[in-house]
Amino acid sequence: MPQHPTLSYPLSAVVGSDDLVLALLLAAVAPEVGGVLVRGEKGTAKTTAVRGLAAVLPPVEVIEGDRFSTDPRDPGDVSPDGPFADGTPVVSRPVRLVELPVGAGEDRVTGSIHLERALSAGRAEYEPGLLARAHRGLLYVDEVNLLHDHLVDLLLDAAATGRATVERDGFSVTHPARFVLVGTMNPEEGELRPQLLDRFGLSVDVAAPRDPARRVEVVRRRLAFEADPAGFVARFAAAEQRLAARVAAARSACTDVHLGEEVLLAVAEVCAALEVDGLRADIVTARTAVAHAAWCGRTEVTGEDVRVAARLALPHRRRRAPFDDPDLEDDLLDRALDDALGPDDPDPDPDPDPDPQPDPEPDPRPGGGVTSDGEGGDGGSGDGAEGEGRDLPAGSEPAGASPPRSSTVGAGETFRARLLQAHGTHRRDRGATRPAPGRRSRAESSTGRVVRSVPTADAPAGAGPHLLGTVLASVPHQHARGRADGPLRLRPADLRAAVREGRESNLVLFCVDASGSMAARRRMREVKSAILSLLLDAYQRRDTVGLVTFGGDSATLVLPPTGSVDVAASRLEALPAGGRTPLAEGLSEAARVLDREGRRAGARRPLLVVVTDGRATSGADAVGRSHRAADRLAATGVDCVVVDCEAGPIRLGLARTLAQRLGAEHVPVAAVDAAALHGVVRGRAA
């Protein structure tokens, strides 16, 4: 939602996001909880609520002129700008909300040498980054699941140690970096690395309210804010002040809240019953329960505090694998809580919003998981699909024959995926879009280690300045420029840009024969297992995997290139198999997908894997059309593998012919299973 340039939407005016507001407030009351991850669809006030949180936080005291906002009352909070002279004023200022852009560079996050002063005065001086600015405040990352992996590593280090260390360009700086990390994401755009997911203390799923009355109130308030921001903020000023006072009081009261042994044992029992990984869940749940008790004005942690804490701290930690539903089933949590704490009692003060006008309760959000039915479909025999058209020559069909029926085939067991890597280092021309960041193949990018410097006129888009290269380029010309002493005399031609080598994502597109001519039921089960197994690794490495199938008289993109394992699993589960073999249509659809993906910003290097026996049996001139489609694909230069699934005593070698036309590697296999298929892809791409 758009924000007024100077005024933030009041947190107390947010409607229909009670869990989100409560999670943010508890993280503010007890920053040691570890921050909040907000998952939800677009337009659900995620960013609005986060920006409104800063306005209700107590101000912080800092030493005047200290760029690192260290606490003057904490001897262990040492600023690199110190030591400060006695009598340096201490000032109070509002808490900062620092937004970390998804496309930020490492220098912007951790800080770097002050380039202007280095070139003009010849003095190396550190310029603090966003981590230093966020110390004792809020660090907000929108679309945190799209954050570059090298930045994720930096956040993990800072979150774990509370400090940031920068060693670069001849200087070393360590400074405090303790902040409340708040991230928002849309799960449909990809999953979050498990290392970062576990670092978020609390997690909340948000969705637009389904109740029409509540939706009307959301719209009414938003329109009122946009029409008169100052008047709207003034209308909720009293509620904001009460909320700020309550946060400050709860912070002070946390140290007086008693966490009894029985309650602590109940926390451990709940975490053990839900089989969460590690002990961080126990610690975060206990801290959140204490914060909730202080928020409600209690000096003793109760079972209700544990219930609230468990619902916020455990769902994202219980996830066992990427294909499991990340949402914690309410009945399972209720049973674990009831076993540990006894029957549920109503919360005496569940609503964090001090607005005296209560909002109607929203309807429960619809939910559901991905089924794991191994067979699916109508229960038709796999042998029937396997025998259809097996001994027919290419391009022929029996007279009066009806098309083979289709049926749904489930995936088999998944396995541990091996690393896929494209050949060499992907080099970018000047002006080319930067590759999609990831953890796969080597590529020139805007992040990673510096491998060389080039003149700025020859640098790829997004390349940053290279200080040492610029200095070295100018040194031979200093005498001719009349320099005897003082700063270097630079010219625009001296400027050099850093070329960095990092890792990029890849696109693996499977083009699979889903007809009845090649044991389709078994083949589809194996292909599904291979793709699901690739996705297990892909969601961590930022890869995308897609699936085109062809059967009957058409080809279908059943799995658009995606890194979201949940969406992929649901699409693959319902994939049908059976029918004739429209090979030309399958190759043409694969070409369209690759062309479309190649036009996107940050396009990934593709690898096309065609799984077929090479027969073309659908439509007029099926063989000729398939050859022409293969020739057009070969002209694009895409890297291909043809997995030959032809079986039986008489083999026509059609898949080998197809591989020759595609310029692809031909891999004959007698029985392709998921592990063998994945090994073929790994061997070709590594």
Side-chain angles (χ1 to χ4, degrees):
M1 295 181 180
Q3 293 286 335
H4 189 268
T6 57
L7 297 175
S8 295
Y9 191 92
L11 183 63
S12 57
V14 174
V15 178
S17 300
D18 293 345
D19 287 345
L20 169 59
V21 173
L22 179 60
L24 292 174
L25 291 172
L26 293 181
V29 169
E32 62 273 13
V33 163
V36 182
L37 174 65
V38 187
R39 298 161 44 103
E41 57 198 16
K42 299 179 291 293
T44 50
K46 301 188 297 293
T47 301
T48 298
V50 173
R51 289 176 175 165
L53 175 64
V56 300
L57 297 183
V60 295
E61 291 186 343
V62 298
I63 301 173
E64 189 174 41
D66 182 9
R67 297 175 298 169
F68 297 86
S69 300
T70 53
D71 189 349
R73 292 185 172 83
D74 184 357
D77 209 10
V78 180
S79 171
D81 284 347
F84 299 96
D86 294 338
T88 303
V90 174
V91 297
S92 178
R93 64 159 177 80
V95 168
R96 288 174 179 160
L97 171 64
V98 179
E99 298 191 31
L100 195 159
V102 171
E106 181 178 345
D107 292 350
R108 184 74 182 95
V109 177
T110 62
S112 182
I113 191 170
H114 197 297
L115 184 60
E116 180 182 353
R117 292 174 186 168
L119 296 179
S120 62
R123 184 175 70 251
E125 183 176 325
Y126 175 67
E127 179 72 11
L130 295 178
L131 292 181
R133 184 173 175 80
H135 180 51
R136 302 175 66 197
L138 302 173
L139 182 63
Y140 172 47
V141 187
D142 192 15
E143 305 294 351
V144 64
N145 53 322
L146 304 181
L147 192 66
H148 293 192
D149 287 313
H150 72 288
L151 298 184
V152 170
D153 295 334
L154 292 176
L155 290 182
L156 290 176
D157 291 341
T161 64
R163 309 189 70 81
T165 300
V166 184
E167 297 189 13
R168 186 184 302 115
D169 301 326
F171 66 89
S172 177
V173 175
T174 298
H175 63 81
R178 298 188 301 274
F179 46 81
V180 176
L181 180 62
V182 181
T184 58
M185 61 174 285
N186 184 349
E188 294 181 356
E189 297 175 350
E191 296 298 328
L192 192 63
R193 277 181 60 187
Q195 295 93 328
L196 185 56
L197 181 66
D198 187 56
R199 289 294 181 181
F200 284 100
L202 309 179
S203 175
V204 180
D205 287 339
V206 296
R210 300 294 181 250
D211 179 52
R214 178 161 288 192
R215 295 174 74 97
V216 167
E217 182 61 22
V218 171
V219 175
R220 181 183 295 114
R221 293 190 181 189
R222 189 68 213 185
L223 294 178
F225 174 73
E226 294 176 355
D228 182 12
F232 187 85
V233 170
R235 172 187 164 191
F236 284 89
E240 290 286 281
Q241 291 174 1
R242 292 194 298 271
L243 197 57
R246 190 173 176 184
V247 170
R251 274 191 177 183
S252 301
C254 273
T255 55
D256 298 327
V257 175
H258 179 251
L259 180 64
E261 288 296 323
E262 292 184 0
V263 175
L264 191 57
L265 180 60
V267 170
E269 290 176 350
V270 171
C271 293
L274 296 175
E275 300 180 349
V276 296
D277 293 329
L279 293 174
R280 183 175 284 117
D282 303 61
I283 297 172
V284 172
T285 303
R287 288 173 173 170
T288 307
V290 170
H292 188 263
W295 173 256
C296 295
R298 292 190 286 269
T299 57
E300 186 83 17
V301 176
T302 66
E304 181 57 35
D305 298 320
V306 175
R307 289 181 184 274
V308 173
R311 294 185 187 280
L312 296 175
L314 299 184
H316 62 298
R317 290 188 166 86
R318 188 177 177 270
R319 184 171 183 152
R320 310 303 303 174
F323 302 120
D324 295 339
D325 188 350
D327 297 328
L328 187 63
E329 299 87 347
D330 288 340
D331 57 345
L332 182 60
L333 176 59
D334 288 339
R335 287 197 301 271
L337 290 170
D338 289 343
D339 290 343
L341 302 170
D344 188 11
D345 293 325
D347 186 358
D349 189 9
D351 188 4
D353 188 352
D355 191 340
Q357 297 179 351
D359 296 312
E361 290 297 326
D363 293 336
R365 298 192 301 272
V370 177
T371 60
S372 57
D373 182 9
E375 287 294 326
D378 58 6
S381 171
D383 294 334
E386 194 170 319
E388 287 285 356
R390 175 176 294 279
D391 299 323
L392 296 178
S396 66
E397 294 286 348
S402 59
R405 66 180 180 177
S406 297
S407 59
T408 300
V409 181
E413 292 295 325
T414 58
F415 53 90
R416 188 175 185 83
R418 304 162 93 184
L419 176 62
L420 300 175
Q421 273 187 307
H423 288 296
T425 300
H426 185 195
R427 302 193 181 279
R428 295 188 294 146
D429 298 328
R430 177 172 172 80
T433 58
R434 67 181 62 180
R439 300 174 65 86
R440 288 289 179 185
S441 306
R442 291 183 300 172
E444 289 184 357
S445 66
S446 59
T447 60
R449 63 187 183 93
V450 177
V451 294
R452 67 182 188 278
S453 64
V454 297
T456 55
D458 301 328
H466 190 272
L467 177 60
L468 181 59
T470 299
V471 172
L472 293 178
S474 70
V475 167
H477 307 290
Q478 295 304 302
H479 180 72
R481 295 171 185 173
R483 177 182 179 268
D485 197 4
L488 291 174
R489 296 188 177 184
L490 302 177
R491 299 291 184 269
D494 299 332
L495 292 178
R496 295 294 186 268
V499 176
R500 298 177 179 270
E501 182 178 286
R503 294 280 173 173
E504 68 172 353
S505 298
N506 291 155
L507 165 62
V508 180
L509 181 64
F510 287 85
C511 183
V512 180
D513 186 344
S515 68
S517 65
M518 55 166 214
R521 293 185 65 82
R522 183 182 63 183
R523 188 71 62 245
M524 291 309 300
R525 180 176 290 108
E526 293 164 351
V527 170
K528 287 183 181 182
S529 297
I531 296 175
L532 290 174
S533 300
L534 285 171
L535 281 168
L536 282 169
D537 191 53
Y539 95 108
Q540 294 178 333
R541 300 182 184 273
R542 296 294 190 262
D543 289 320
T544 57
V545 179
L547 174 62
V548 171
T549 63
F550 52 96
D553 58 359
S554 64
T556 305
L557 176 63
V558 297
L559 179 62
T562 180
S564 175
V565 295
D566 298 324
V567 175
S570 61
R571 297 287 179 86
L572 287 169
E573 194 63 35
L575 182 65
R580 297 186 178 90
T581 313
L583 179 57
E585 285 75 6
L587 297 177
S588 297
E589 179 63 22
R592 283 192 290 270
V593 173
L594 293 176
D595 179 67
R596 182 176 65 249
E597 292 299 312
R599 296 175 185 272
R600 297 180 184 273
R604 294 165 170 83
R605 273 191 283 177
L607 174 64
L608 177 62
V609 182
V610 183
V611 184
T612 182
D613 57 6
R615 301 189 182 194
T617 62
S618 178
D621 191 22
V623 176
R625 289 189 299 108
S626 65
H627 287 175
R628 291 190 290 273
D631 294 340
R632 290 192 295 271
L633 247 178
T636 66
V638 65
D639 202 4
C640 297
V641 175
V642 173
V643 179
D644 188 351
C645 297
E646 189 174 25
I650 301 177
R651 306 196 178 188
L652 304 177
L654 301 176
R656 181 182 294 276
T657 301
L658 176 64
Q660 292 172 350
R661 287 187 169 273
L662 286 171
E665 180 179 354
H666 172 257
V667 183
V669 290
V672 179
D673 58 22
L677 176 59
H678 183 75
V680 169
V681 177
R682 170 66 177 88
R684 180 65 180 90

